[in-house]
Each structure stands twice: as C-alpha cells, then as structure tokens.
Amino acid sequence: MYQPRSERIPLIFEQGQPGRANRYLPSDAQLSDYLPAENLRAELPLPESTELDVVRHYTRLSQRTFGIDTGFYPLGSCTMKYNPRVNDAVANLPGLRDLHPFAPDELSQGALRIMYELERSLASLFGMAAFSLNPAAGAHAELAALLIAKKYFSDRGELNRQTVIVPDTAHGTNPASASMAGFRVVSLKSDERGRVGVDTLRAVLGDDTAVCMMTNPNTLGLFEDHIAEIARAVHDAGGLMYYDGANANALMGIARPGDMGFDLMHLNLHKTFTIPHGGGGAGAGPLGVAEHLVEYLPTPVVRAIAKDGSTANEDSRTYWLDFDVPKSIGPMRSFWSNFAHIVRALAYLYANGLEGLTDVSRLAVLNANYVRVKVAPFLETPYPEICQHEFVASAQELKKQSGVRAVDIAKALLDRGFHAPTMYFPLIVPECLMIEPTETESKETLDQFIAALEDVVATAKRDPQQILDAPQRTVVARVDETRAARQPDLRWRAPAGVT
Amino acid sequence: MPYLPHTKRDIAQMLDAIGVASIDELVRVPAAVALRAKPEIVAALPESEIVRRFEEFAGSDRATTMASFLGAGAYRHYCPPAIMALAMRGEFLTSYTPYQAEVSQGYLQAIYEWQTYICLLTGLDIADASVYDGATALAEGAIMALAATNRKKILVSRAVHPNYRAVLKTYCDGLDVAIDEVPLLPGGMTDPQALRDALSRGSYAAVALQSPNFFGIVETVPEDVRDAFKRSGTVPIAVVAEALALAAFPTPASWGAQICVGEAQSFGVALAYGGPYVGFIACTSDHLRRIPGRLVGRTVDRNGKEAYVLTLQAREQHIRRERATSNICTNQAHCALIATIYLALMGASGLRNCAAQNVKRAHELVKRVSAIPGCRLQFEAPFFNEFVLNVGSSAADVLKALQKRGILGGLDLGRFYHEMSDCILMTATEMTTSKDIDALCAALQEVVRVPASL
Amino acid sequence: MAQPPDLLYSREHEWVRIDSDTATIGITDYAQSSLGDIVYVELPKVGTQVAQFSNTGVIESVKAVSDLYTPLSGEVTEVNEALENDPALVNREPFAGGWLFKLQVKDSKQSENLLSPDSYEELIAEAQ
C-alpha cells in the first residue's frame, strides 16, 4: 500500500516534458491564422504533464493537507464543523453550476428563488429587515456595511461621524475594514470580565461616533450580557451598531442580533452554514441591515412578486435582479453573489429547519463547555464561567513553569493527530489558545482531544524538550518563518540557462 | 437532526461534567435581548427531498439548456473532469487557511504553484494567493497604487469591464478618491491621445487598462503612452477579465504594467451564476509590501528541509489591524486550486491551443453573423473571443426575440453604454458548436430588421 | 542589561544619540527583544520633516508590527540602508549597526522630554 512519505514533492514546474499536454480539444487552428503575429505572445513557459502525473501530483499534495475530513479541527472563531456532501452535490447540478450571471432573469428563476429564499430565511433567523448576498466574505461585508454607514450619515448631513469603535477582542478585519472605508478607529479595552464595559464605552461615545462593531458572543466565547445597554448608549449618541457574525453559531434560534439592537451585521456562511473553507475560501458574507438602512444595500437586490401582485404565494412568484436602487452604495463585486455557496447554505437550512438550527447552537455551546471544564484542571482558563460556542485557555502559567508556550502545545497536538486551536488570539490573553469544538463532534472525539491535550501538558511539565521539538510526525518539522519573511521566495523561477 | 452525533446519554454525561442541569442553563441570554419573534424557517427536510427540490430549482433555470453566446467577464470553457476529482478531495475542500504549516504543506505548495503560474502568465514578479474576483482585484490594485504614490485620483479606461468600474467606484467612495475615465476611439479602443493628455494634466495614482477590453478588442499600448506612464509617475494597472487571453498575447509586464489584476474564472471555475470566482493580483517586486491578501513563501524547516509557509503576514489585517493594506481575510483558495490544476492539466500547448480554438470559433461566428442583412461588426480591430455586433435596432428587442427561439444571443451593450443600445456583445469559446452558430444565424435572419435602403 | 549611558530614551523604547545638531535614532535592546525576529523596517524618506513623538515608520517582526516614533523633531538626513537587506541588524546590534535614521535637530530643548538611562531602566523594570 502507498504510504504518504515525507520526501520532497517536486513542483509541477519541475515535472513533465514538452509534448505531454494538449489532449482535451481539437487542434485544427493556430492563433496566427487569425491574429497579426506581432500581437501574439512569443513564449508561454508552462510545464506539460500527462493527466496521470497531474492526478498523482495533486493527490499527493492533498495527502499533506489536514482538513475536517482528516480529523478534529478545533480552530477557534473558524467553526470547523462537518461540511455535508449533499450541499456540494446540489451546488453541482448543471442547472445551477452552468448558469451564466448575465442569463435573463426569466430564464434563471430557480437560482433567483434560491437567493430569495435564503435571504428571507436569514432575515428572519437573525432579526434583520433584509440581507444582501452580494459580499464575498465576512470582511467584505464589513466593508460594505461601513460604506453604508458612511453614506447614511452623509445623507443626514452628519459628516462629523468619522469614528468607528472596536473592542480590543475584535477580529482584525474590523479595524482594517473601518480604515478601508475611511474611518478613524478607536480601540476599546475590555473589562476584567472580558466584556465591553458600558462606562468605558460611554467615555468614547460622542457626536463623532459612527459605528460600534461588536462580536457577540465575543472572541473569548463570552456573551456580552450588557449588549442591550451598549446598543442603547450607541444609539443615544447617534451611532450605529454593527454585529460581526463570525460567532453566530452560538445564537441560532436562541437570540437575534436584530433583537439586541444591531443595525448592521454579517454572517460567515462558511462558518455557521457549513460551506467548506477550501483552504481559506471562497466564503460568503451576507450583509444584514435594519429597516432604516435597507435602501443602501449593495446592488443587485433580489426581488419577488407574485402574479397577483403580492409576495405571498411562493410558487407563483416571479423573481428578478434589481440594479436600480438609487441610494445603494453600489456593487461590491463583479457578479451577484458567491452563488454556489448560497445553494449550499440553503441546502443546510433545509436539512435542519428552525429546530435543527436551534439544536446546532445548543449543542455547539454544550460541546464547548464540556471541553472547557475538562481542560480547566490542567490548563489555565482565564474566564472560568459558562462560555458559548468557544472558550480561551492560556499557557501563561505553563510557560513560566516549563518554557512551553501556546505555539508549542499547538505543534504537539499536530503530532497527536489533531489540528491546533487558534493561537495568540484574541490579543488580550497571553499565550492564548482559542478552542471551538463545534456541534458535529461526538463526545468520543472530544474525550480523545482532551486526553491528548492533557498528555501534552503533562509531558511539558515532565520533559519540556519533547514538546519544544514538536512536531515530529509531520512531513516537515517546525518551519522557519523568520527566514520566509526576511528572504521572501514567493514563486518558482526556472534555473538559469533553462527556458 | 442530520449532522449531530449526541445521544441522550452523551448529553446527560456532559451536563453532569459541566455541573448544570440542562442546556438551557448554558444558552440563557438576558431577558432584554431574548427572541422577540420566532424565526420563520422552512421545516426540516430529509436529504432525498432536499435533492429533489434543488433539482426542481435547477430545472427552472432554462438558460442553462440554451445555446449561449454570453461572456462579458464570465466564460464557458471546457473543464477536464480530473479537475474536480482532485479539487473535491476532502483534505483540500475542508481545510482552513493553512495557519499550521506543518500539516498544510500540500495546500501551501499548491498555492505557491498558483502564485508562480500567475507570475509566468502575467510576466510580473510576484502574485498573491488570490482575492475575491476580477472587480475587487481592480479595487485592491488601485488601493496599492494610492498607497505607493500618495495621490488621490484614479484614471480608468471606459473599455474596462463596467462592473469592475462600478466596484472600483464603490471602494473609492469610501476613501474619497476620485475616478476619471478615458474615452473610447470610434474603433472601440481606449483613446491614447486622451490618455496621454489626462496623464500630463492630472496627478493620478494609477491608470487601469483592460486587454482584451470589454468589447473583446486586443488593446496595444503605444510607446508614447508608456513614456507618459513613466513621466507622470502613475502606476499602470493591467486588467484581465478573460484570463485565457494571457496565453495568447504579450504579457502585461511587456507593456509596462506594474500591477496586473484580473479574473481567473476561465481556468476551470464553474459559471455558477456569478461566483465564487477567483481574482488575482500580480505586481513588480517594488510593490511587495503593499500587495493585499495571503502570500505563500518557500523556506526551510528546523532541519533545513524545504518547506512552505504563509509569509509576510505583518502586512495583513490580523496583525496590522487598522494599519493593514487591506481588510481581506478569506480569499478564494479553493478556486485558485482549481485554476492551478486546470493549468497543470492543460500545459503550455493545451492552453495555447484552447486560446486558438476560441479565436477560431469567434472568427467563424463573426464571419457568419456579420453577413446577415441588418447586422454588422461594430469595431474592426483584432479581437479574441468576443466582439460587438450592431443589429441596427434595439439590441434588447433582438435578444428577447432570440430568447424565444431558444438562444442567448449575448449581452445588450445598451445596459452599460447608452450610445450602444443597438449593439450586442457576442462571445464564442471552444464550447461553441457549429450547430449553435447555425441556430443563431437562422434566428438572427428572422428577427433582425433589414434597413429599407437595402 | 544596563542601558548605554551616553544615550537618551523615549517611553516608546527608542534611543537617541545627539552629536551637536545631528541625532541618531534607534530602538533599544529591550524593544528588539520584545519584538522578536525583525523582518522589515519601514523608514522615513530623507528630507522628510518629522515632529517629536510622531509616527515615522514601522518595524515588522514575523508576527507583530509596531510603530516607530521619532524622539525629536527635525529633518531626516540619512537612513540606515543596510537594514533593507539585513533587518536582523536591529536584533543583533540595536545600539550600533542597527541604528535607524539620523535627524538634523530642530530644537535641542526637546531632549528635556526624554528619559535618562536610569529612568529608562526603571521604566522597563516596571514593564517586566
């Protein structure tokens, strides 16, 4: 049997021979038959391999990649839950996969209905007036939301509203998006309970406040229990509330950002709604807004009307893309949505229904608390209270005792067949490990993970060098990131003298 | 519930370990923010029923069963089945951004290969691990140029994809950056004189030019325009909406582009009603510190063995926060993987041949349709796989009539260029059959009005 | 370790050496060791006017980035070009070969706002 080994896999550019490609299409034409030769490219220095060689190459590369399908992946804030295969199957139906974005509305009714249904469902599930499926990812939706805020205040003549408030536990995308939309950022220090303090917030609110961006549960896995007061304070100051939906997996059927007073929000469908992360994307980041901001949503907007003029009867509706929305901030991307992912998300919604989604969130919270209480005896948990879908642990004490840091624990977990938790985030917890088990993991898997983590900590105390030398069982040992950054090698180049 | 493993006994044991009596105690929220209304969501369906419903939706997308001449930034190309067989492997599909390099060497190597492919195709020094799509690539490229030059104005050709220009405007509105447009020549190309004048007048951070342009025309950049780029200190940005054309024409680097942005959907990525696609950004090494998104670098491990890792992360939002060059976090890695596998399967000769087949089909098509009374080729310049057909009366009406005959004739240009409401942007690729062309010609003959003078 | 006695220090962990009207600026040993392996230094352009304690550059390590503040006002007369190819110089020799930039000092009185070696030593003792 073939065992994945650890020897170097040559780059695709170092493989093959000229003459081994060009098998898929007729070859009865030359570019120069139709175009002036001086307009054409002289050389195209790409490798040529047989199909078998290409299949082997990428199969071998896949064997050196850890996915949810490979093992437990408790990466905090990333919601690495099982990605059901039926979602991929329906996204791959030719009537959905092969639809051209400029196909006329009347011939794209199935696709438009999928978009409309998901949009309506999300609005109801999260308590917002409407969603746009336009943004390609969470950060993209944040940018769109802040552009909406900017336009909204500008329309109201409140040009002084230039400040975006971001807690110090926020995802890095929040302040980065605010800068991209031309706002100034004020960072808000969390209180000793890991939450935004209402008084701390009040101290920075003013007539320059545009938006306050919050994650709830926050990145410590804690519910912001003063959220109603916070929202009131921001609204009283004339600002808008933004909900970062990265952690929405804790909330479905339990609470709604709309009910908490949020005016704008995004979801990461690639987290909560089981879209495969695919090595870092593509994702999808629907953007939700309250009633007063609906007219600013990006274009196009999916609309529906029944033959009798109402929107009631879903089977007699006609759907269309509305590009003519005068107050819209405009489009955020080339075409309408990451549609294949909209399909996947709706399939997931169908598979669960409201009760199922509520159970998803309840069991995500159960799993996180279970791991938290089991880990607490051997690893510091700086916020020892009921958490939501994730929690943070800290290797600070362990580091003092043994010199073993969060990164070393992460690497030792890799050797034990688990993916590492998120490390060093949020920034306010030293030697932070952020653990999000998700609801699709069984108690057996959680127990195995807890045992592995305990073993790592025990080994660290007994024989720290063993942990400092991890990982040992992966195809490469710890990677020299300093060298990577100091001497960037970002592409292959043909050896001198070879073309 | 389909994807939940918990038995009643598991739940009881876990609650016991936590020391609470019920899950309700774990998920309790303050009364002030409790649910105000029960969400209205469809009742759960069994998997067999889910598939049936989506088959029904798919069946009502009748556009997918018709002969189609649509392109305009989204192209139907042949995708060898080996692509999906590889890309859908669970290890690739269900992995996250490769933060833990030691267990992500395979994906990291594939992205390093993607970066290399983009460099080889564009002739530029470096490329990132992907951005959302062509339009956002243009916006991000423009932001790089704003940072590089400290200027607040962008110049863009009117022959750049209208959707890309619209997205550029959305982004620039947030940054209070002005956009000026370069007009077209009557032949459908960017007006070089107007471009030179604009460059000499204003201080622009960047100038964006697309080739093949939105009308399919191969734009060339004359020597005096290249000189104007240099004199004005403006960063030339090449825009690519049909990446297959990179296999046919001289590289953007060869005419002086410092940044090349574009869409690589053509490399094996499904049309999927507009996404997900895959944007790319390549640039000269001077712009290394400003390129947005992930970058994979080759380095060594502790034992000196070759290894790959995400690098130069201090540029990125998760470290630099409000000082980051871009807010991008999620990219389009899986689509980039698909494109990489596509390029590996096609090889140089396969890709070039595919480009030749596109050109051949488009030229066959133009020959046939421009011979139809009432139709004429709007622009005469060399083109790749799309061209503009003037049908002498409302393009929207002609397209509607073609639709009734089971044909998607192309894009009504009046939608984006008010002076071109009689014009259709028509696309042919290697997937266009002679039968499709015959059907289109027969239908056009029926629906296009012949001017009275003939 | 003791701080070099012939320098003045800022609360942001920069040091400055003043020779008549020229000031040489760098970051302290404490700063470089807190940052870890430095991979890139972004410095002001020669000829730029900078104001005391304003942001004049960025220092990047593998996983952190920090702003650089000038301890004095003045015109930038020289930057350490060796850092472009070898940013690790800042780690190896923070007080010597790893200097960052030089200024033509505008107002020598501003040095009153800086810390003596002893006061800076106290500052970092507190931080630890």
Side-chain angles (χ1 to χ4, degrees):
Chain A
M1 192 178 84
Y2 175 78
Q3 289 291 325
R5 284 164 303 174
S6 65
E7 77 277 7
R8 175 176 193 271
I9 300 177
L11 290 161
I12 192 76
F13 307 99
E14 297 163 326
Q15 303 180 33
Q17 295 289 340
R20 286 200 183 144
N22 195 22
R23 56 191 151 256
Y24 300 110
L25 300 170
S27 34
D28 55 356
Q30 296 288 327
L31 287 164
S32 54
D33 298 345
Y34 301 94
L35 292 163
E38 71 269 19
N39 276 3
L40 297 175
R41 181 173 182 152
E43 279 184 296
L44 187 61
L46 308 183
E48 308 217 323
S49 299
T50 62
E51 184 167 304
L52 173 60
D53 286 341
V54 173
V55 167
R56 278 200 184 131
H57 180 64
Y58 291 101
T59 299
R60 294 184 68 200
L61 291 186
S62 77
Q63 290 169 325
R64 295 183 176 191
T65 304
F66 192 108
I68 298 166
D69 287 5
T70 318
F72 183 50
Y73 214 130
L75 196 64
S77 253
C78 299
T79 316
M80 300 299 281
K81 56 166 93 175
Y82 174 60
N83 304 146
R85 286 307 191 273
V86 66
N87 299 355
D88 302 326
V90 294
N92 205 37
L93 288 167
L96 305 175
R97 182 193 64 203
D98 299 337
L99 186 60
H100 194 283
F102 282 124
D105 293 341
E106 57 274 29
L107 302 175
S108 314
Q109 288 294 298
L112 288 167
R113 176 165 175 180
I114 289 167
M115 291 174 74
Y116 186 80
E117 268 198 38
L118 185 70
E119 187 275 324
R120 287 290 84 209
S121 304
L122 295 180
S124 181
L125 191 56
F126 295 95
M128 306 306 284
F131 268 83
S132 164
L133 305 180
N134 197 240
H140 203 212
E142 290 174 15
L143 175 61
L146 291 161
L147 292 172
I148 287 177
K150 194 162 187 163
K151 197 146 197 230
Y152 170 76
F153 288 123
S154 151
D155 282 355
R156 293 162 61 95
E158 299 179 62
L159 300 173
N160 48 319
R161 299 205 174 269
Q162 303 258 345
T163 304
V164 169
I165 300 165
V166 177
D168 55 7
T169 53
H171 297 108
T173 52
N174 292 181
S177 301
S179 290
M180 259 183 116
F183 287 104
R184 204 168 43 234
V185 177
V186 172
S187 179
L188 206 60
K189 202 167 155 20
S190 302
D191 65 17
E192 68 286 351
R193 293 175 60 247
R195 272 97 166 170
V196 169
V198 183
D199 291 336
T200 322
L201 172 67
R202 283 217 174 92
V204 300
L205 288 173
D207 60 8
D208 64 327
T209 303
V211 181
C212 174
M213 302 180 85
M214 303 263 299
T215 309
N216 192 20
N218 65 25
T219 58
L220 299 168
L222 302 172
F223 195 88
E224 293 280 356
D225 39 16
H226 298 302
I227 191 67
E229 252 179 291
I230 289 168
R232 207 173 310 124
V234 169
H235 288 153
D236 287 348
L240 296 171
M241 288 289 289
Y242 182 84
Y243 179 84
D244 175 334
N247 293 346
N249 205 43
L251 280 191
M252 292 184 293
I254 295 169
R256 306 192 301 176
D259 296 339
M260 297 177 199
F262 285 97
D263 306 285
L264 298 142
M265 72 170 287
H266 82 256
L267 284 167
N268 302 83
L269 294 184
H270 44 292
K271 296 179 180 174
T272 317
F273 285 79
T274 66
I275 288 162
H277 285 75
L287 163 64
V289 292
E291 198 62 55
H292 51 289
L293 299 172
V294 170
E295 56 191 346
Y296 293 95
L297 282 174
T299 48
V301 174
V302 186
R303 309 235 188 249
I305 191 154
K307 293 215 172 70
D308 60 5
S310 75
T311 54
N313 180 355
E314 47 188 66
D315 287 320
S316 76
R317 281 185 201 137
T318 309
Y319 303 87
W320 81 94
L321 291 173
D322 188 355
F323 290 87
D324 185 18
V325 186
K327 284 199 169 180
S328 164
I329 55 164
M332 290 295 294
R333 54 177 301 149
S334 303
F335 298 108
W336 333 138
S337 73
N338 274 357
F339 176 73
H341 286 351
I342 302 307
V343 173
R344 287 181 170 92
L346 188 65
Y348 180 68
L349 201 114
Y350 281 172
N352 287 283
L354 178 62
E355 268 122 80
L357 292 175
T358 309
D359 281 344
V360 161
S361 288
R362 289 166 63 87
L363 293 174
V365 173
L366 178 71
N367 275 5
N369 278 288
Y370 179 69
V371 179
R372 179 181 60 79
V373 297
K374 290 287 204 176
V375 163
F378 58 83
L379 200 59
E380 209 182 333
T381 47
Y383 300 93
E385 58 173 301
I386 288 171
C387 66
Q388 299 296 302
H389 65 301
E390 67 188 0
F391 72 96
V392 294
S394 166
Q396 176 86 326
E397 276 306 307
L398 187 68
K399 183 176 143 191
K400 281 183 195 152
Q401 290 167 31
S402 64
V404 167
R405 298 164 300 156
V407 60
D408 305 312
I409 294 179
K411 300 303 178 194
L413 282 169
L414 303 180
D415 268 344
R416 286 158 179 78
F418 296 98
H419 198 277
T422 296
M423 316 178 293
Y424 300 100
F425 186 83
L427 306 173
I428 63 165
V429 177
E431 297 301 328
C432 186
L433 288 167
M434 183 195 214
I435 299 174
E436 180 180 9
T438 82
E439 73 284 357
T440 54
E441 299 296 338
S442 66
K443 179 168 175 296
E444 297 93 288
T445 302
L446 301 183
D447 285 335
Q448 287 158 12
F449 172 73
I450 292 158
L453 189 54
E454 187 168 15
D455 176 52
V456 171
V457 173
T459 310
K461 289 177 179 163
R462 194 178 65 240
D463 178 11
Q465 197 56 44
Q466 229 191 87
I467 304 299
L468 297 173
D469 289 343
Q472 304 268 10
R473 299 172 64 188
T474 47
V475 288
V476 294
R478 225 175 274 197
V479 174
D480 186 346
E481 297 187 40
T482 304
R483 175 179 154 140
R486 281 183 182 160
Q487 303 162 42
D489 168 2
L490 306 173
R491 59 170 295 193
W492 171 86
R493 281 180 195 274
V498 182
T499 50
Chain B
M1 297 308 143
Y3 312 121
L4 301 174
H6 301 68
T7 62
K8 278 195 177 130
R9 205 171 135 222
D10 292 337
I11 293 174
Q13 285 178 349
M14 292 165 84
L15 287 171
D16 194 46
I18 298 166
V20 295
S22 73
I23 298 180
D24 293 341
E25 288 183 43
L26 300 175
V27 299
R28 193 167 290 153
V29 298
V33 296
L35 281 186
R36 290 207 190 133
K38 188 177 163 187
E40 285 166 37
I41 307 282
V42 63
L45 298 172
E47 187 165 305
S48 54
E49 184 61 20
I50 294 171
V51 172
R52 202 197 56 73
R53 278 193 88 153
F54 278 94
E55 279 169 352
E56 218 176 278
F57 295 150
S60 61
D61 288 338
R62 288 182 293 127
T64 53
T65 59
M66 294 164 64
S68 169
F69 298 87
L70 282 167
Y75 301 92
R76 188 169 55 119
H77 288 299
Y78 181 69
C79 301
I83 300 173
M84 279 303 154
L86 292 165
M88 294 305 280
R89 286 182 63 92
E91 300 92 328
F92 285 139
L93 189 69
T94 67
S95 63
Y96 196 74
T97 305
Y99 289 132
Q100 295 293 340
E102 298 84 354
V103 289
S104 313
Q105 285 298 299
Y107 218 131
L108 286 162
Q109 181 170 338
I111 297 297
Y112 183 87
E113 291 179 354
W114 150 266
Q115 290 172 183
T116 303
Y117 268 120
I118 295 300
C119 291
L120 294 173
L121 286 166
T122 59
L124 287 159
D125 302 323
I126 47 177
D128 76 355
S130 76
V131 292
Y132 307 132
D133 62 12
T136 56
L138 172 57
E140 296 273 6
I143 292 171
M144 286 170 70
L146 293 168
T149 58
N150 248 323
R151 297 177 181 174
K152 291 290 267 181
K153 271 187 343 185
I154 304 281
L155 190 61
V156 57
S157 162
R158 227 178 141 230
V160 168
H161 197 301
N163 287 8
Y164 292 18
R165 282 183 284 135
V167 172
L168 180 66
K169 182 175 182 309
T170 306
Y171 275 61
C172 284
D173 282 351
L175 297 166
D176 299 318
V177 166
I179 303 171
D180 290 334
E181 294 195 336
V182 189
L184 304 174
L185 288 176
M189 283 162 293
T190 309
D191 182 344
Q193 179 65 45
L195 174 54
R196 282 201 313 273
D197 289 351
L199 287 173
S200 66
R201 267 197 325 269
S203 87
Y204 292 100
V207 50
L209 300 172
Q210 179 178 328
S211 180
N213 71 19
F214 188 63
F215 312 111
I217 295 171
V218 184
E219 295 238 18
T220 52
V221 182
E223 202 64 45
D224 54 353
V225 172
R226 295 184 211 183
D227 290 343
F229 294 154
K230 286 192 195 121
R231 269 199 311 276
S232 61
T234 300
V235 177
I237 300 181
V239 182
V240 176
E242 167 50 297
L244 182 61
L246 289 168
F249 303 109
T251 63
S254 71
W255 58 259
Q258 292 177 29
I259 298 175
C260 177
V261 298
E263 174 62 64
Q265 177 269 330
S266 283
F267 296 154
V269 178
L271 283 171
Y273 203 43
Y277 291 172
V278 52
F280 62 84
I281 300 188
C283 60
T284 53
S285 46
D286 320 341
H287 293 288
L288 171 65
R289 311 301 310 184
R290 288 179 288 270
I291 195 168
R294 314 283 189 208
L295 287 170
V296 173
R298 184 159 60 167
T299 178
V300 292
D301 75 357
R302 267 187 185 171
N303 307 320
K305 188 177 162 190
E306 183 183 83
Y308 300 88
V309 70
L310 290 176
T311 191
L312 300 175
Q313 295 193 64
R315 297 164 300 117
E316 291 186 58
Q317 48 77 26
H318 61 287
I319 293 175
R320 218 168 243 244
R321 299 176 80 85
E322 67 268 22
R323 292 168 300 194
T325 48
S326 164
N327 70 339
I328 190 164
C329 176
T330 294
N331 59 22
Q332 310 291 108
H334 197 249
C335 297
L337 175 73
I338 288 171
T340 305
I341 298 171
Y342 173 88
L343 290 166
L345 288 167
M346 296 298 277
S349 57
L351 199 67
R352 204 191 275 272
N353 180 50
C354 182
Q357 290 294 317
N358 276 255
V359 171
K360 175 186 170 214
R361 282 301 188 191
H363 283 75
E364 281 171 9
L365 178 64
V366 85
K367 205 168 151 195
R368 296 278 304 277
V369 293
S370 60
I372 293 168
C375 296
R376 66 181 169 84
L377 183 62
Q378 176 81 359
F379 305 124
E380 297 287 346
F383 62 93
F384 183 59
N385 63 0
E386 14 193 7
F387 57 86
V388 177
L389 188 73
N390 189 314
V391 291
S393 63
S394 161
D397 292 346
V398 168
L399 288 168
K400 272 248 147 61
L402 291 175
Q403 228 170 278
K404 288 202 182 106
R405 289 161 175 80
I407 293 164
L408 300 173
L411 182 75
D412 166 18
L413 279 174
R415 191 166 157 178
F416 299 111
Y417 299 86
H418 59 88
E419 74 279 22
M420 292 192 210
S421 59
D422 291 353
C423 293
I424 296 173
L425 181 64
M426 270 188 188
T427 308
T429 70
E430 77 281 10
M431 304 295 278
T432 307
T433 64
S434 303
K435 218 176 107 198
D436 294 342
I437 296 178
D438 291 345
L440 173 69
C441 291
L444 275 173
Q445 249 147 6
E446 286 176 38
V447 304
V448 172
R449 269 187 314 189
V450 182
S453 62
L454 286 180
Chain C
M1 72 177 251
Q3 305 302 319
D6 54 335
L7 307 179
L8 292 173
Y9 299 86
S10 76
R11 295 188 160 272
E12 303 289 345
H13 309 285
E14 286 91 11
W15 57 259
V16 54
R17 171 182 290 118
I18 302 173
D19 287 321
S20 65
D21 59 352
T22 298
T24 305
I25 288 150
I27 64 167
T28 65
D29 186 57
Y30 172 79
Q32 72 76 21
S33 85
S34 324
L35 278 166
D37 290 342
I38 290 165
V39 297
Y40 180 69
V41 183
E42 190 183 303
L43 294 170
K45 287 207 175 83
V46 171
T48 321
Q49 298 289 336
V50 294
Q52 188 175 31
F53 303 134
S54 68
N55 183 347
T56 49
V58 172
I59 299 186
E60 286 182 13
S61 61
V62 178
K63 294 235 164 119
V65 53
S66 70
D67 283 322
L68 184 65
Y69 301 92
T70 175
L72 294 171
S73 301
E75 181 181 322
V76 178
T77 55
E78 195 181 341
V79 299
N80 188 353
E81 279 164 14
L83 299 181
E84 196 171 326
N85 288 320
D86 187 11
L89 256 180
V90 180
N91 290 121
R92 292 199 307 272
E93 307 173 17
F95 295 112
W99 63 276
L100 301 176
F101 62 95
K102 295 185 183 182
L103 282 182
Q104 166 102 35
V105 180
K106 206 170 170 187
D107 176 4
S108 57
K109 273 202 194 132
Q110 285 180 341
S111 57
E112 290 166 15
N113 304 330
L114 299 174
L115 304 175
S116 70
D118 287 346
S119 316
Y120 181 66
E121 186 67 41
E122 275 171 43
L123 179 86
I124 56 177
E126 276 168 39
Q128 280 162 333

